[in-house]
Amino acid sequence: MFKSKKKHINPNTTDTLIGEGSQFEGRIKSEAGIRVEGHITGDVECSGDVTIGEHGIVKSNIIARNIVIAGSVHGNIMTRGILKITATGKLYGNTTAASLMIEEGGIFQGASKMEAKAAHNEKVESEEKLTQNVIPFS
């Protein structure tokens, strides 16, 4: 009788902003882009792009299409596209990306693994299937 229409969200738009002075703890999952200017503690999974602003501090793992770091990230990153660390950006953790760009002055402490986009997409899909079958501890 009632049919809900699934609204398609454009992953090229930014629909979530964690503003400067804000603190967020928990897991974020978004189909559109995310911009972080405040502090996040918890995992971030995004179908679109994730941007960590100059004042942004993220203590979590991030999975996204493309990621730009101008602030600080303490955690592992997995991207299907480009990981860009700007001159003010800092990444303390490992990364898997199709492409890695680090501007002069940017800091990266960790290991990197380069994967082709197709191989990476298959890996992400298989990891999603694995996490769906995990039974949480009570």
Side-chain angles (χ1 to χ4, degrees):
M1 180 174 201
F2 295 102
K3 292 184 179 181
S4 64
K5 293 182 179 179
K6 180 107 171 156
K7 184 179 175 185
H8 177 69
I9 298 175
N10 184 354
N12 295 322
T13 62
T14 299
D15 73 347
T16 304
L17 171 66
I18 307 297
E20 189 174 351
S22 299
Q23 293 186 3
F24 181 86
E25 291 185 26
R27 183 172 184 247
I28 297 177
K29 186 173 183 179
S30 177
E31 291 187 27
I34 298 172
R35 182 171 182 89
V36 179
E37 295 291 344
H39 297 250
I40 291 183
T41 302
D43 291 340
V44 176
E45 186 177 337
C46 182
S47 297
D49 299 340
V50 172
T51 302
I52 311 301
E54 286 188 22
H55 302 287
I57 298 172
V58 178
K59 296 180 180 177
S60 69
N61 299 319
I62 303 173
I63 298 173
R65 181 178 62 183
N66 296 303
I67 300 172
V68 176
I69 301 173
S72 177
V73 175
H74 298 264
N76 298 325
I77 289 183
M78 186 178 294
T79 176
R80 297 176 293 280
I82 299 169
L83 169 59
K84 180 178 180 182
I85 302 173
T86 68
T88 59
K90 300 173 185 78
L91 172 58
Y92 304 99
N94 302 325
T95 183
T96 301
S99 179
L100 174 62
M101 298 170 46
I102 303 174
E103 291 181 357
E104 185 176 349
I107 296 172
F108 172 47
Q109 292 181 358
S112 66
K113 182 176 180 183
M114 306 299 286
E115 288 188 359
K117 290 183 182 182
H120 183 71
N121 289 340
E122 291 172 10
K123 182 177 179 180
V124 169
E125 289 172 7
S126 65
E127 286 178 357
E128 288 173 354
K129 289 178 186 174
L130 288 174
T131 58
Q132 291 173 355
N133 296 327
V134 173
I135 299 171
F137 292 106
S138 299

mmCIF file of all heavy atoms in Angstrom, residues 37-60:
data_model
loop_
_atom_site.group_PDB
_atom_site.id
_atom_site.type_symbol
_atom_site.label_atom_id
_atom_site.label_comp_id
_atom_site.label_asym_id
_atom_site.label_seq_id
_atom_site.Cartn_x
_atom_site.Cartn_y
_atom_site.Cartn_z
ATOM 1 N N GLU A 37 35.789 19.796 10.583
ATOM 2 C CA GLU A 37 36.555 20.940 11.080
ATOM 3 C C GLU A 37 36.733 20.841 12.591
ATOM 4 O O GLU A 37 37.530 21.550 13.163
ATOM 5 C CB GLU A 37 35.850 22.260 10.729
ATOM 6 C CG GLU A 37 35.761 22.549 9.248
ATOM 7 C CD GLU A 37 37.095 22.861 8.608
ATOM 8 O OE1 GLU A 37 38.072 23.155 9.320
ATOM 9 O OE2 GLU A 37 37.170 22.811 7.371
ATOM 10 N N GLY A 38 35.997 19.922 13.219
ATOM 11 C CA GLY A 38 36.076 19.720 14.664
ATOM 12 C C GLY A 38 36.833 18.446 14.992
ATOM 13 O O GLY A 38 37.802 18.105 14.319
ATOM 14 N N HIS A 39 36.374 17.738 16.032
ATOM 15 C CA HIS A 39 37.039 16.532 16.510
ATOM 16 C C HIS A 39 36.098 15.334 16.364
ATOM 17 O O HIS A 39 34.929 15.422 16.748
ATOM 18 C CB HIS A 39 37.416 16.672 17.987
ATOM 19 C CG HIS A 39 38.389 17.761 18.258
ATOM 20 N ND1 HIS A 39 39.676 17.504 18.638
ATOM 21 C CD2 HIS A 39 38.279 19.105 18.206
ATOM 22 C CE1 HIS A 39 40.317 18.646 18.813
ATOM 23 N NE2 HIS A 39 39.485 19.633 18.554
ATOM 24 N N ILE A 40 36.617 14.228 15.832
ATOM 25 C CA ILE A 40 35.855 12.978 15.725
ATOM 26 C C ILE A 40 36.672 11.859 16.356
ATOM 27 O O ILE A 40 37.861 11.727 16.094
ATOM 28 C CB ILE A 40 35.556 12.602 14.260
ATOM 29 C CG1 ILE A 40 34.569 13.566 13.640
ATOM 30 C CG2 ILE A 40 35.016 11.189 14.174
ATOM 31 C CD1 ILE A 40 34.191 13.209 12.222
ATOM 32 N N THR A 41 35.994 11.048 17.166
ATOM 33 C CA THR A 41 36.570 9.813 17.676
ATOM 34 C C THR A 41 35.593 8.707 17.306
ATOM 35 O O THR A 41 34.464 8.690 17.792
ATOM 36 C CB THR A 41 36.756 9.861 19.208
ATOM 37 O OG1 THR A 41 37.588 10.977 19.526
ATOM 38 C CG2 THR A 41 37.406 8.590 19.709
ATOM 39 N N GLY A 42 35.989 7.823 16.420
ATOM 40 C CA GLY A 42 35.117 6.754 15.944
ATOM 41 C C GLY A 42 35.305 6.566 14.459
ATOM 42 O O GLY A 42 35.865 7.421 13.784
ATOM 43 N N ASP A 43 34.857 5.446 13.952
ATOM 44 C CA ASP A 43 35.084 5.127 12.543
ATOM 45 C C ASP A 43 34.199 5.938 11.611
ATOM 46 O O ASP A 43 33.061 6.268 11.941
ATOM 47 C CB ASP A 43 34.868 3.629 12.298
ATOM 48 C CG ASP A 43 35.957 2.785 12.945
ATOM 49 O OD1 ASP A 43 37.039 3.326 13.237
ATOM 50 O OD2 ASP A 43 35.731 1.586 13.147
ATOM 51 N N VAL A 44 34.747 6.225 10.426
ATOM 52 C CA VAL A 44 34.034 6.988 9.403
ATOM 53 C C VAL A 44 33.991 6.148 8.137
ATOM 54 O O VAL A 44 35.025 5.697 7.650
ATOM 55 C CB VAL A 44 34.747 8.335 9.111
ATOM 56 C CG1 VAL A 44 34.047 9.075 7.989
ATOM 57 C CG2 VAL A 44 34.833 9.181 10.365
ATOM 58 N N GLU A 45 32.790 5.940 7.607
ATOM 59 C CA GLU A 45 32.607 5.217 6.349
ATOM 60 C C GLU A 45 31.746 6.080 5.445
ATOM 61 O O GLU A 45 30.647 6.480 5.818
ATOM 62 C CB GLU A 45 31.921 3.879 6.604
ATOM 63 C CG GLU A 45 31.814 3.013 5.388
ATOM 64 C CD GLU A 45 31.189 1.664 5.689
ATOM 65 O OE1 GLU A 45 31.224 1.224 6.848
ATOM 66 O OE2 GLU A 45 30.648 1.068 4.742
ATOM 67 N N CYS A 46 32.269 6.368 4.249
ATOM 68 C CA CYS A 46 31.611 7.341 3.387
ATOM 69 C C CYS A 46 31.680 6.887 1.930
ATOM 70 O O CYS A 46 32.750 6.542 1.444
ATOM 71 C CB CYS A 46 32.306 8.693 3.570
ATOM 72 S SG CYS A 46 31.580 10.029 2.627
ATOM 73 N N SER A 47 30.540 6.932 1.234
ATOM 74 C CA SER A 47 30.520 6.612 -0.191
ATOM 75 C C SER A 47 31.075 7.758 -1.022
ATOM 76 O O SER A 47 31.515 7.560 -2.140
ATOM 77 C CB SER A 47 29.093 6.298 -0.649
ATOM 78 O OG SER A 47 28.611 5.161 0.022
ATOM 79 N N GLY A 48 31.028 8.949 -0.478
ATOM 80 C CA GLY A 48 31.550 10.123 -1.168
ATOM 81 C C GLY A 48 32.958 10.450 -0.697
ATOM 82 O O GLY A 48 33.743 9.573 -0.350
ATOM 83 N N ASP A 49 33.264 11.747 -0.661
ATOM 84 C CA ASP A 49 34.592 12.217 -0.291
ATOM 85 C C ASP A 49 34.605 12.689 1.164
ATOM 86 O O ASP A 49 33.609 13.200 1.670
ATOM 87 C CB ASP A 49 35.020 13.375 -1.192
ATOM 88 C CG ASP A 49 35.090 12.971 -2.655
ATOM 89 O OD1 ASP A 49 35.188 11.764 -2.933
ATOM 90 O OD2 ASP A 49 35.047 13.867 -3.513
ATOM 91 N N VAL A 50 35.750 12.544 1.813
ATOM 92 C CA VAL A 50 35.931 13.038 3.175
ATOM 93 C C VAL A 50 37.040 14.082 3.147
ATOM 94 O O VAL A 50 38.107 13.847 2.591
ATOM 95 C CB VAL A 50 36.303 11.895 4.153
ATOM 96 C CG1 VAL A 50 36.685 12.451 5.515
ATOM 97 C CG2 VAL A 50 35.152 10.905 4.283
ATOM 98 N N THR A 51 36.764 15.241 3.754
ATOM 99 C CA THR A 51 37.738 16.314 3.860
ATOM 100 C C THR A 51 37.957 16.629 5.326
ATOM 101 O O THR A 51 36.993 16.890 6.055
ATOM 102 C CB THR A 51 37.260 17.588 3.129
ATOM 103 O OG1 THR A 51 37.012 17.264 1.755
ATOM 104 C CG2 THR A 51 38.288 18.696 3.211
ATOM 105 N N ILE A 52 39.201 16.585 5.750
ATOM 106 C CA ILE A 52 39.563 16.958 7.111
ATOM 107 C C ILE A 52 40.180 18.345 7.019
ATOM 108 O O ILE A 52 41.261 18.514 6.453
ATOM 109 C CB ILE A 52 40.585 15.971 7.736
ATOM 110 C CG1 ILE A 52 40.152 14.517 7.552
ATOM 111 C CG2 ILE A 52 40.828 16.315 9.205
ATOM 112 C CD1 ILE A 52 38.829 14.154 8.146
ATOM 113 N N GLY A 53 39.486 19.353 7.540
ATOM 114 C CA GLY A 53 39.954 20.735 7.470
ATOM 115 C C GLY A 53 41.175 20.967 8.335
ATOM 116 O O GLY A 53 41.578 20.115 9.130
ATOM 117 N N GLU A 54 41.769 22.150 8.219
ATOM 118 C CA GLU A 54 43.005 22.482 8.928
ATOM 119 C C GLU A 54 42.876 22.346 10.442
ATOM 120 O O GLU A 54 43.840 22.018 11.119
ATOM 121 C CB GLU A 54 43.467 23.895 8.571
ATOM 122 C CG GLU A 54 44.056 23.994 7.189
ATOM 123 C CD GLU A 54 44.689 25.351 6.920
ATOM 124 O OE1 GLU A 54 45.051 26.057 7.882
ATOM 125 O OE2 GLU A 54 44.817 25.701 5.739
ATOM 126 N N HIS A 55 41.697 22.585 10.986
ATOM 127 C CA HIS A 55 41.498 22.494 12.433
ATOM 128 C C HIS A 55 40.903 21.148 12.841
ATOM 129 O O HIS A 55 40.696 20.899 14.018
ATOM 130 C CB HIS A 55 40.606 23.633 12.918
ATOM 131 C CG HIS A 55 41.160 24.982 12.592
ATOM 132 N ND1 HIS A 55 42.247 25.525 13.249
ATOM 133 C CD2 HIS A 55 40.805 25.891 11.648
ATOM 134 C CE1 HIS A 55 42.521 26.704 12.743
ATOM 135 N NE2 HIS A 55 41.670 26.958 11.766
ATOM 136 N N GLY A 56 40.630 20.289 11.857
ATOM 137 C CA GLY A 56 40.013 18.998 12.130
ATOM 138 C C GLY A 56 40.999 18.005 12.731
ATOM 139 O O GLY A 56 42.148 17.919 12.308
ATOM 140 N N ILE A 57 40.522 17.263 13.727
ATOM 141 C CA ILE A 57 41.309 16.202 14.345
ATOM 142 C C ILE A 57 40.441 14.952 14.366
ATOM 143 O O ILE A 57 39.339 14.960 14.935
ATOM 144 C CB ILE A 57 41.745 16.571 15.777
ATOM 145 C CG1 ILE A 57 42.632 17.815 15.747
ATOM 146 C CG2 ILE A 57 42.459 15.405 16.444
ATOM 147 C CD1 ILE A 57 42.969 18.371 17.118
ATOM 148 N N VAL A 58 40.937 13.898 13.730
ATOM 149 C CA VAL A 58 40.174 12.658 13.630
ATOM 150 C C VAL A 58 40.994 11.530 14.232
ATOM 151 O O VAL A 58 42.137 11.315 13.840
ATOM 152 C CB VAL A 58 39.824 12.345 12.154
ATOM 153 C CG1 VAL A 58 39.085 11.037 12.046
ATOM 154 C CG2 VAL A 58 39.012 13.479 11.559
ATOM 155 N N LYS A 59 40.403 10.819 15.183
ATOM 156 C CA LYS A 59 41.032 9.647 15.796
ATOM 157 C C LYS A 59 40.162 8.452 15.451
ATOM 158 O O LYS A 59 39.304 8.047 16.252
ATOM 159 C CB LYS A 59 41.170 9.835 17.302
ATOM 160 C CG LYS A 59 42.099 10.976 17.664
ATOM 161 C CD LYS A 59 42.226 11.169 19.143
ATOM 162 C CE LYS A 59 43.177 12.345 19.406
ATOM 163 N NZ LYS A 59 43.297 12.637 20.823
ATOM 164 N N SER A 60 40.345 7.956 14.228
ATOM 165 C CA SER A 60 39.512 6.864 13.758
ATOM 166 C C SER A 60 40.052 6.310 12.451
ATOM 167 O O SER A 60 40.956 6.879 11.847
ATOM 168 C CB SER A 60 38.082 7.351 13.530
ATOM 169 O OG SER A 60 38.031 8.234 12.432
#
